[in-house]
Amino acid sequence: MDISPLLDEKLDEAMYMQLYRYFKEEIQSARIPAATRLPSIRQLSIHLQVSKTTVLMAYQQLLAEGYIESRERSGYYVVQLEADSLAASDSAEKQNDSQQEQEGNRILYDFFMSGIDLDHFPFDVWRKCYQQSMQLEEKDLLFYGDNQGETGLREAICQYLYQSRGVNCSAEQIVIGPSTYALVQSLCQLLELERKDVAVEDPCYPRVRDVFNRLGFRLVPIPLESDGISLERLQESNAEVVYITPSHQYPLGMVMPVAKRLKLLAWAAERDALVIEDDYDGEFRYRGKPIPSLQGLDRNGNVIYVGTFSKSLMPAIRISYMVVPQRLLGRYRSGLITYDQTASRLHQRALELFMQSGEWERHIRRMRTLYHKKHAAMLQAIRTHMGERVIITGQDAGLHLVLEVKSKESADTLVNVAEAHGVKVYSTEPMWHERKEGMRPLLLLGFGGLPLAHIEPGIELLNRAWTPYYEK
């Protein structure tokens, strides 16, 4: 153990007494707990730059007063004091009470909206890809790398986006970062100072909204319609940048149809505005035909496409990406040329190998099938147990549903009631900028991370918890 007592040779008190008092106070206050082995006399004398006699006399005084004991061929150890025993007993009792309380209120079913299914993750394949990235011939990955991200991964992402989402881009347009909000933050630094009005959906993803706020942009909340953002209200605003989640609006879940997408692009072309398209879980769609991305429909270079692997693969690798329009690429490179790469090169290389092997596409196909089953089970369970007492929205895509609960209670109250019964659900309250008065509570229920067998009992328990709070 390392200790740092303040020993002063100028004091009238002997050095060994100063050291003795230090140990005594530390032992009495339990900062040095019982059964701790103290440094040997030789080690402590070298560490403190004092004589061995000073340390020996301090230890002998501690021995005489019963604070430490000497064990043959082992050293000096702190003994269990009576006060320590009482404190330990009291602590154990409190810990036991706390544990019983936690067990009484433990979460049995967590409908986390950003959860993913870990039981079907291809750990063995991913481990091989990561191990390959750590081989000797890959040692250059230990340096900083291209500030836009690994070229091989950007090429793989480019090919995938074209095939799955209709995104038209080259690898040079892709920028890799650790998260969506980190990429948006770097993007904001490229926007002209006069572009101060940024339109956002209301409600919207709060982390990105906070990025705009912190960087001094004026937020213009635009209300939502049944098919997405209100274009009429957007047209009335002075915004020249709009952040949008058209393929699965976050958090309410509506999907913007092609006709409205074309109108949004016409607005952007007319105003020379920028559209930030966040396609955070576009891989998972359960109804209707696939709708191409806004970026794929754009012919004027007004759309910045943002995506992530957090939902489709795993959050832990911290890899997201954005597609910068060709007309902004030069400005991006000159403006952020001094920025180093912000995502792990080793994880990028492993992901590149994962995609090149074909395992990525196989994984996505498996997850689509699995999440489709969970999605259907969730809908059936809600209809069976809750019936007319809730309205389901946002059920066409993604990994979460939205419940409009027919209750006079607030969303936060219903969240607390559910948690007290062992069910975790999530409120949309923090995601609103200007919430309308008199709206019913809206709750988010994710199904991605729950085992299929837990969905129905979780909904059944949730319904029992909310039964006293439904409208009569």
Side-chain angles (χ1 to χ4, degrees):
M1 58 178 293
D2 291 330
I3 61 171
S4 300
L6 181 61
L7 304 179
D8 191 348
E9 295 179 352
K10 297 179 181 179
L11 294 178
D12 293 335
E13 187 177 39
M15 293 279 284
Y16 85 90
M17 285 299 295
Q18 295 180 45
L19 184 58
Y20 150 76
R21 292 188 189 281
Y22 167 80
F23 275 116
K24 178 181 177 181
E25 291 175 2
E26 295 295 295
I27 294 171
Q28 286 180 336
S29 63
R31 288 191 289 269
I32 300 181
T36 299
R37 183 180 184 273
L38 298 185
S40 69
I41 294 174
R42 178 176 175 275
Q43 288 173 333
L44 192 55
S45 68
I46 293 174
H47 176 64
L48 299 180
Q49 295 294 293
V50 297
S51 69
K52 293 180 182 179
T53 302
T54 296
V55 178
L56 176 61
M57 291 178 68
Y59 279 5
Q60 286 178 340
Q61 187 66 33
L62 292 168
L63 275 169
E65 296 184 12
Y67 287 103
I68 63 175
E69 64 180 0
S70 176
R71 299 180 187 176
E72 188 176 358
R73 297 182 182 180
S74 182
Y76 296 96
Y77 289 82
V78 177
V79 301
Q80 182 78 51
L81 302 181
E82 183 178 354
D84 290 341
S85 301
L86 293 174
S89 176
D90 183 58
S91 175
E93 184 177 350
K94 289 181 179 178
Q95 183 176 358
N96 185 54
D97 291 342
S98 175
Q99 184 176 353
Q100 289 179 352
E101 182 179 352
Q102 290 177 2
E103 289 178 353
N105 296 324
R106 70 184 186 277
I107 300 302
L108 302 174
Y109 307 101
D110 188 350
F111 290 92
F112 184 43
M113 59 276 192
S114 297
I116 62 170
D117 191 294
L118 300 178
D119 293 335
H120 294 80
F121 183 80
F123 283 100
D124 291 339
V125 178
W126 178 260
R127 186 184 300 111
K128 290 178 182 177
C129 292
Y130 189 78
Q131 288 173 343
Q132 187 173 340
S133 73
M134 289 294 292
Q135 291 180 359
L136 183 61
E137 57 268 24
E138 302 275 7
K139 61 183 178 182
D140 64 303
L141 290 174
L142 302 181
F143 293 102
Y144 289 104
D146 192 311
N147 63 353
Q148 283 188 221
E150 296 304 297
T151 302
L153 178 58
R154 287 189 281 131
E155 290 173 348
I157 292 175
C158 180
Q159 181 179 358
Y160 166 71
L161 289 179
Y162 179 75
Q163 293 173 348
S164 65
R165 305 296 298 129
V167 172
N168 295 299
C169 68
S170 61
E172 69 171 3
Q173 293 175 254
I174 294 179
V175 178
I176 295 174
S179 63
T180 296
Y181 47 91
L183 289 170
V184 171
Q185 186 170 3
S186 66
L187 183 63
C188 287
Q189 298 176 53
L190 300 180
L191 305 180
E192 296 94 333
L193 292 177
E194 63 268 18
R195 290 183 188 255
K196 280 294 184 180
D197 288 352
V198 177
V200 295
E201 300 163 316
D202 192 21
C204 75
Y205 183 40
R207 289 190 178 179
V208 170
R209 181 188 62 197
D210 292 345
V211 168
F212 291 126
N213 260 330
R214 286 197 304 270
L215 294 178
F217 289 84
R218 287 188 295 269
L219 290 179
V220 183
I222 306 296
L224 296 172
E225 300 171 337
S226 60
D227 57 357
I229 194 169
S230 170
L231 295 184
E232 181 180 354
R233 295 288 294 274
L234 181 61
Q235 187 75 40
E236 293 171 356
S237 74
N238 294 320
E240 295 184 6
V241 179
V242 59
Y243 168 77
I244 191 171
T245 51
S247 295
H248 187 224
Q249 199 282 328
Y250 190 88
L252 300 189
M254 63 275 292
V255 178
M256 182 181 289
V258 172
K260 193 163 192 173
R261 294 180 185 226
L262 294 174
K263 291 179 181 179
L264 176 61
L265 292 173
W267 167 84
E270 179 184 347
R271 193 171 293 194
D272 191 30
L274 291 176
V275 179
I276 303 174
E277 177 185 13
D278 187 350
D279 198 15
Y280 65 98
D281 63 359
E283 288 85 3
F284 307 113
R285 183 173 175 81
Y286 311 111
R287 296 182 179 181
K289 296 180 180 179
I291 300 177
S293 64
L294 278 169
Q295 197 276 353
L297 298 170
D298 180 31
R299 297 295 178 266
N300 299 289
N302 293 321
V303 177
I304 301 166
Y305 182 90
V306 181
T308 181
F309 288 96
S310 292
K311 294 272 193 174
S312 54
L313 189 61
M314 57 176 167
I317 59 172
R318 308 307 295 152
I319 294 181
S320 297
Y321 53 87
M322 68 177 174
V323 178
V324 181
Q326 198 71 45
R327 67 187 182 97
L328 293 180
L329 194 57
R331 192 192 314 170
Y332 177 87
R333 288 176 171 170
S334 61
L336 301 180
I337 191 66
T338 59
Y339 282 39
D340 289 322
Q341 192 172 137
T342 55
S344 164
R345 293 190 72 194
L346 296 175
H347 283 158
Q348 289 185 60
R349 176 59 175 157
L351 181 55
E352 176 190 340
L353 295 170
F354 189 77
M355 297 180 78
Q356 289 176 347
S357 69
E359 187 59 36
W360 164 251
E361 292 183 0
R362 288 190 287 272
H363 175 67
I364 288 295
R365 287 197 297 269
R366 288 194 298 267
M367 290 299 99
R368 282 184 182 136
T369 300
L370 177 61
Y371 289 146
H372 193 281
K373 292 179 180 178
K374 291 186 177 185
H375 176 265
M378 176 85 90
L379 290 176
Q380 183 60 47
I382 293 172
R383 290 166 182 154
T384 299
H385 297 285
M386 296 181 172
E388 301 294 326
R389 290 171 286 191
V390 300
I391 298 173
I392 307 171
T393 61
Q395 55 186 293
D396 292 341
L399 300 182
H400 75 266
L401 302 175
V402 183
L403 287 189
E404 178 183 338
V405 184
K406 296 180 181 179
S407 173
K408 294 181 180 180
E409 302 294 337
S410 69
D412 291 338
T413 297
L414 294 180
V415 167
N416 293 333
V417 168
E419 186 168 351
H421 286 75
V423 183
K424 190 77 171 172
V425 296
Y426 297 84
S427 171
T428 62
E429 295 294 331
M431 303 168 193
W432 290 87
H433 189 89
E434 297 175 353
R435 197 177 190 279
K436 296 179 182 178
E437 290 291 333
M439 288 182 62
R440 286 172 174 159
L442 296 172
L443 286 305
L444 299 180
L445 276 71
F447 53 84
L450 269 178
L452 185 60
H454 288 188
I455 291 176
E456 182 171 10
I459 295 297
E460 183 181 7
L461 181 56
L462 181 62
N463 179 63
R464 290 206 306 269
W466 283 349
T467 293
Y469 301 91
Y470 290 131
E471 292 178 354
K472 303 302 182 183

